[in-house]
Amino acid sequence: DAFGSSLRGFGINLLVSDVRKTVDFLNVVFGIHSTRVSDDFAIVPYGDQGFMMHSDAAYASNPIHALIPETPPRGGGITIHLYDSDPDTACANCANVEAVIMAEAKDKPHGLREAFIADHDGYVWVPSRPLA
């Protein structure tokens, strides 16, 4: 109750097929340490922000449960940008988890070095850092 009532501003909640697997992916690839991890829920702090993850089962009575695709990928159309994560390190860490590097780390004309990495659910994570 205290956590829920403390939320303000903008929030993201990802529905994932396996909370613990996604927690492991975020830890190994990006060094992100989630809190309150269970089979159904996790809080994912990142910098001075954060987001939540819920399992499909935890959302069984929620109206958006019917929108979960029966076949992957479920994350189509969204990119999750992690602006304080090194893309080269993240790509190197992908060898240790189930992930697909969609685009290797590259300097982009908009002033960032970025990579595009899909997790086991098809969510695309974009680690990036400013160009020097």
Side-chain angles (χ1 to χ4, degrees), residues 3-4 21 31 34 36-37 44 49 55 62 78 86 91 101 106 108 116 126 128-129 132:
F3 172 72
K21 188 173 185 176
S34 301
R36 298 190 187 178
V37 178
V44 185
Q49 301 172 11
S55 69
N62 190 291
I78 186 171
D86 183 83
C91 285
I101 299 172
K106 181 179 176 181
K108 301 292 184 103
F116 286 71
V126 184
S128 60
R129 62 171 172 75

mmCIF file of all heavy atoms in Angstrom, residues 3-4 21 31 34 36-37 44 49 55 62 78 86 91 101 106 108 116 126 128-129 132:
data_model
loop_
_atom_site.group_PDB
_atom_site.id
_atom_site.type_symbol
_atom_site.label_atom_id
_atom_site.label_comp_id
_atom_site.label_asym_id
_atom_site.label_seq_id
_atom_site.Cartn_x
_atom_site.Cartn_y
_atom_site.Cartn_z
ATOM 1 N N PHE A 3 3.923 1.679 -1.127
ATOM 2 C CA PHE A 3 4.555 1.884 -2.432
ATOM 3 C C PHE A 3 3.551 2.454 -3.428
ATOM 4 O O PHE A 3 3.822 3.449 -4.092
ATOM 5 C CB PHE A 3 5.155 0.581 -2.967
ATOM 6 C CG PHE A 3 5.639 0.711 -4.390
ATOM 7 C CD1 PHE A 3 6.784 1.436 -4.670
ATOM 8 C CD2 PHE A 3 4.942 0.128 -5.432
ATOM 9 C CE1 PHE A 3 7.235 1.583 -5.981
ATOM 10 C CE2 PHE A 3 5.382 0.265 -6.745
ATOM 11 C CZ PHE A 3 6.528 0.992 -7.019
ATOM 12 N N GLY A 4 2.412 1.840 -3.541
ATOM 13 C CA GLY A 4 1.406 2.304 -4.492
ATOM 14 C C GLY A 4 0.984 3.739 -4.259
ATOM 15 O O GLY A 4 0.853 4.519 -5.212
ATOM 16 N N LYS A 21 12.871 -13.965 -14.928
ATOM 17 C CA LYS A 21 13.731 -14.023 -16.112
ATOM 18 C C LYS A 21 14.040 -12.619 -16.615
ATOM 19 O O LYS A 21 15.167 -12.320 -16.999
ATOM 20 C CB LYS A 21 13.057 -14.853 -17.202
ATOM 21 C CG LYS A 21 13.937 -15.145 -18.384
ATOM 22 C CD LYS A 21 13.237 -16.127 -19.326
ATOM 23 C CE LYS A 21 14.125 -16.537 -20.464
ATOM 24 N NZ LYS A 21 13.478 -17.557 -21.317
ATOM 25 N N GLY A 31 23.029 -4.177 -15.464
ATOM 26 C CA GLY A 31 23.439 -3.954 -14.080
ATOM 27 C C GLY A 31 22.346 -3.349 -13.227
ATOM 28 O O GLY A 31 22.619 -2.735 -12.194
ATOM 29 N N SER A 34 16.681 -5.048 -9.383
ATOM 30 C CA SER A 34 15.266 -4.863 -9.062
ATOM 31 C C SER A 34 15.017 -5.140 -7.584
ATOM 32 O O SER A 34 15.804 -5.808 -6.920
ATOM 33 C CB SER A 34 14.413 -5.795 -9.920
ATOM 34 O OG SER A 34 14.634 -5.533 -11.282
ATOM 35 N N ARG A 36 11.779 -5.969 -4.482
ATOM 36 C CA ARG A 36 10.477 -6.609 -4.239
ATOM 37 C C ARG A 36 10.153 -7.662 -5.300
ATOM 38 O O ARG A 36 9.022 -7.752 -5.775
ATOM 39 C CB ARG A 36 9.367 -5.565 -4.150
ATOM 40 C CG ARG A 36 9.566 -4.593 -3.004
ATOM 41 C CD ARG A 36 8.365 -3.752 -2.783
ATOM 42 N NE ARG A 36 8.658 -2.734 -1.786
ATOM 43 C CZ ARG A 36 7.811 -1.821 -1.404
ATOM 44 N NH1 ARG A 36 6.609 -1.770 -1.918
ATOM 45 N NH2 ARG A 36 8.152 -0.942 -0.499
ATOM 46 N N VAL A 37 11.151 -8.425 -5.665
ATOM 47 C CA VAL A 37 11.012 -9.405 -6.738
ATOM 48 C C VAL A 37 10.245 -10.630 -6.257
ATOM 49 O O VAL A 37 10.576 -11.212 -5.225
ATOM 50 C CB VAL A 37 12.397 -9.832 -7.276
ATOM 51 C CG1 VAL A 37 12.259 -10.889 -8.357
ATOM 52 C CG2 VAL A 37 13.156 -8.622 -7.793
ATOM 53 N N VAL A 44 11.577 -1.887 -10.582
ATOM 54 C CA VAL A 44 12.846 -1.738 -11.285
ATOM 55 C C VAL A 44 13.299 -0.285 -11.189
ATOM 56 O O VAL A 44 12.837 0.570 -11.943
ATOM 57 C CB VAL A 44 12.709 -2.160 -12.766
ATOM 58 C CG1 VAL A 44 14.061 -2.120 -13.448
ATOM 59 C CG2 VAL A 44 12.086 -3.546 -12.880
ATOM 60 N N GLN A 49 14.398 7.369 -11.418
ATOM 61 C CA GLN A 49 13.071 6.941 -11.857
ATOM 62 C C GLN A 49 12.938 5.441 -11.653
ATOM 63 O O GLN A 49 13.733 4.838 -10.961
ATOM 64 C CB GLN A 49 12.874 7.301 -13.334
ATOM 65 C CG GLN A 49 13.014 8.777 -13.602
ATOM 66 C CD GLN A 49 13.000 9.072 -15.085
ATOM 67 O OE1 GLN A 49 12.693 8.232 -15.906
ATOM 68 N NE2 GLN A 49 13.338 10.294 -15.426
ATOM 69 N N SER A 55 3.543 -10.132 -13.769
ATOM 70 C CA SER A 55 3.345 -11.339 -14.570
ATOM 71 C C SER A 55 1.966 -11.287 -15.207
ATOM 72 O O SER A 55 1.075 -10.552 -14.755
ATOM 73 C CB SER A 55 3.449 -12.583 -13.686
ATOM 74 O OG SER A 55 2.337 -12.655 -12.804
ATOM 75 N N ASN A 62 -7.362 -7.891 -14.816
ATOM 76 C CA ASN A 62 -7.231 -6.525 -15.321
ATOM 77 C C ASN A 62 -7.779 -6.459 -16.741
ATOM 78 O O ASN A 62 -7.597 -7.395 -17.513
ATOM 79 C CB ASN A 62 -5.753 -6.123 -15.296
ATOM 80 C CG ASN A 62 -5.541 -4.654 -15.577
ATOM 81 O OD1 ASN A 62 -5.750 -4.209 -16.690
ATOM 82 N ND2 ASN A 62 -5.130 -3.924 -14.567
ATOM 83 N N ILE A 78 7.242 -0.609 -29.065
ATOM 84 C CA ILE A 78 7.770 0.192 -27.954
ATOM 85 C C ILE A 78 9.273 -0.020 -27.872
ATOM 86 O O ILE A 78 9.772 -1.122 -28.070
ATOM 87 C CB ILE A 78 7.107 -0.171 -26.600
ATOM 88 C CG1 ILE A 78 7.584 0.782 -25.499
ATOM 89 C CG2 ILE A 78 7.372 -1.601 -26.220
ATOM 90 C CD1 ILE A 78 6.825 0.646 -24.197
ATOM 91 N N ASP A 86 25.683 1.992 -20.817
ATOM 92 C CA ASP A 86 26.652 1.905 -21.897
ATOM 93 C C ASP A 86 26.217 0.839 -22.912
ATOM 94 O O ASP A 86 26.079 -0.332 -22.551
ATOM 95 C CB ASP A 86 28.029 1.563 -21.346
ATOM 96 C CG ASP A 86 29.060 1.536 -22.444
ATOM 97 O OD1 ASP A 86 29.563 2.614 -22.807
ATOM 98 O OD2 ASP A 86 29.346 0.440 -22.949
ATOM 99 N N CYS A 91 25.724 -4.825 -24.943
ATOM 100 C CA CYS A 91 25.818 -5.809 -26.028
ATOM 101 C C CYS A 91 26.740 -6.960 -25.641
ATOM 102 O O CYS A 91 26.427 -8.125 -25.897
ATOM 103 C CB CYS A 91 26.300 -5.144 -27.317
ATOM 104 S SG CYS A 91 25.044 -4.138 -28.130
ATOM 105 N N ILE A 101 20.517 -9.038 -30.172
ATOM 106 C CA ILE A 101 21.020 -7.698 -30.478
ATOM 107 C C ILE A 101 20.487 -7.341 -31.859
ATOM 108 O O ILE A 101 20.900 -7.902 -32.863
ATOM 109 C CB ILE A 101 22.561 -7.653 -30.443
ATOM 110 C CG1 ILE A 101 23.050 -8.017 -29.050
ATOM 111 C CG2 ILE A 101 23.055 -6.261 -30.863
ATOM 112 C CD1 ILE A 101 24.545 -8.187 -28.947
ATOM 113 N N LYS A 106 26.260 1.913 -31.877
ATOM 114 C CA LYS A 106 26.657 2.772 -32.993
ATOM 115 C C LYS A 106 26.441 4.231 -32.608
ATOM 116 O O LYS A 106 25.467 4.566 -31.930
ATOM 117 C CB LYS A 106 25.808 2.417 -34.214
ATOM 118 C CG LYS A 106 26.123 3.210 -35.455
ATOM 119 C CD LYS A 106 25.246 2.758 -36.622
ATOM 120 C CE LYS A 106 25.516 3.634 -37.830
ATOM 121 N NZ LYS A 106 24.670 3.233 -38.970
ATOM 122 N N LYS A 108 25.132 7.777 -33.249
ATOM 123 C CA LYS A 108 23.994 8.255 -34.025
ATOM 124 C C LYS A 108 24.089 9.764 -34.216
ATOM 125 O O LYS A 108 24.655 10.471 -33.382
ATOM 126 C CB LYS A 108 22.679 7.915 -33.306
ATOM 127 C CG LYS A 108 22.478 6.430 -33.062
ATOM 128 C CD LYS A 108 22.260 5.686 -34.365
ATOM 129 C CE LYS A 108 21.973 4.236 -34.159
ATOM 130 N NZ LYS A 108 20.597 3.858 -34.298
ATOM 131 N N PHE A 116 20.277 -1.594 -29.893
ATOM 132 C CA PHE A 116 18.899 -2.064 -29.753
ATOM 133 C C PHE A 116 18.949 -3.549 -29.412
ATOM 134 O O PHE A 116 19.485 -4.345 -30.190
ATOM 135 C CB PHE A 116 18.108 -1.825 -31.040
ATOM 136 C CG PHE A 116 17.737 -0.392 -31.260
ATOM 137 C CD1 PHE A 116 18.705 0.544 -31.605
ATOM 138 C CD2 PHE A 116 16.427 0.031 -31.112
ATOM 139 C CE1 PHE A 116 18.378 1.875 -31.805
ATOM 140 C CE2 PHE A 116 16.089 1.365 -31.307
ATOM 141 C CZ PHE A 116 17.068 2.288 -31.647
ATOM 142 N N VAL A 126 16.964 0.025 -25.327
ATOM 143 C CA VAL A 126 17.921 0.850 -26.046
ATOM 144 C C VAL A 126 18.870 1.513 -25.058
ATOM 145 O O VAL A 126 18.585 2.595 -24.537
ATOM 146 C CB VAL A 126 17.205 1.918 -26.914
ATOM 147 C CG1 VAL A 126 18.217 2.708 -27.730
ATOM 148 C CG2 VAL A 126 16.149 1.274 -27.804
ATOM 149 N N SER A 128 21.925 3.703 -24.081
ATOM 150 C CA SER A 128 22.583 4.795 -24.804
ATOM 151 C C SER A 128 23.362 5.682 -23.855
ATOM 152 O O SER A 128 23.099 5.704 -22.654
ATOM 153 C CB SER A 128 21.563 5.611 -25.593
ATOM 154 O OG SER A 128 20.595 6.186 -24.722
ATOM 155 N N ARG A 129 24.301 6.390 -24.450
ATOM 156 C CA ARG A 129 25.075 7.371 -23.696
ATOM 157 C C ARG A 129 25.406 8.513 -24.647
ATOM 158 O O ARG A 129 25.473 8.322 -25.866
ATOM 159 C CB ARG A 129 26.338 6.748 -23.116
ATOM 160 C CG ARG A 129 27.297 6.214 -24.149
ATOM 161 C CD ARG A 129 28.630 5.813 -23.537
ATOM 162 N NE ARG A 129 29.484 5.128 -24.469
ATOM 163 C CZ ARG A 129 30.157 5.699 -25.474
ATOM 164 N NH1 ARG A 129 30.049 6.991 -25.665
ATOM 165 N NH2 ARG A 129 30.922 4.998 -26.273
ATOM 166 N N ALA A 132 30.947 11.662 -26.802
ATOM 167 C CA ALA A 132 31.944 12.517 -26.154
ATOM 168 C C ALA A 132 32.214 13.763 -26.980
ATOM 169 O O ALA A 132 32.075 13.792 -28.151
ATOM 170 C CB ALA A 132 33.241 11.749 -25.934
#
